[in-house]
Amino acid sequence: QVQMTQSGGGSASTEAGGSLRLFCEVSGYDFRTSAYCMGWFRQTPGKEREGVAIKDSDGPIRYQESVKDRFRISKDNDKKILYLQMNSLRPEDSGAYYCAARLGSGCLRSGFGFNPGAYSYWGQGTQVTVHS
């Protein structure tokens, strides 16, 4: 069974222009031998959960336009951790951030990589607050 555990105490905050790094430990899944789509999603009150950064084991990585060039998704195969490095943060980046995964690759090529309904496994969320 795949489990995704976000560490960091459930919340993180910084001033505008600052940086944060989110961590998501993945168990029950081998990054090196299994096809996957993994990513980070963000949700704010009253809005639907939206994809922020998606990594497809086929190779592609895609970012939401608003975070492009500021955020970076990466993974450590040995530690089985998915990261989201967030730089030049803005108040509008605030929200609950969730890591997510689905078995099988090709989500970006097929067009559903940013659809939260396509993901089966979720972290518990980290509340990110960027102060102006």
Side-chain angles (χ1 to χ4, degrees):
Q1 179 72 3
V2 178
Q3 290 188 320
M4 307 185 77
T5 305
Q6 294 179 232
S7 58
S11 65
S13 64
T14 187
E15 301 294 318
S19 297
L20 289 172
R21 195 180 196 193
L22 302 183
F23 300 80
C24 177
E25 186 173 357
V26 184
S27 61
Y29 203 81
D30 192 333
F31 282 128
R32 291 165 291 189
T33 61
S34 302
Y36 62 85
C37 277
M38 292 189 184
W40 292 90
F41 290 75
R42 174 172 70 197
Q43 189 165 23
T44 54
K47 292 188 176 182
E48 293 185 356
R49 195 169 294 188
E50 59 180 1
V52 172
I54 306 297
K55 182 172 177 58
D56 188 332
S57 62
D58 276 356
I61 293 175
R62 296 285 186 271
Y63 297 92
Q64 186 192 95
E65 193 62 30
S66 68
V67 307
K68 198 175 180 182
D69 298 328
R70 298 188 298 122
F71 289 14
R72 181 174 180 269
I73 185 173
S74 64
K75 63 179 179 66
D76 185 316
N77 289 340
D78 292 331
K79 296 180 179 177
K80 298 183 179 181
I81 296 177
L82 184 70
Y83 300 97
L84 183 67
Q85 177 68 42
M86 304 185 292
N87 300 323
S88 302
L89 281 160
R90 306 167 181 168
E92 55 264 38
D93 293 322
S94 298
Y97 283 72
Y98 299 87
C99 58
R102 58 172 281 120
L103 303 182
S105 60
C107 62
L108 290 173
R109 180 180 67 247
S110 300
F112 56 80
F114 283 83
N115 179 359
Y119 291 77
S120 304
Y121 308 101
W122 291 88
Q124 75 274 29
T126 299
Q127 181 64 43
V128 170
T129 303
V130 183
H131 302 285
S132 57

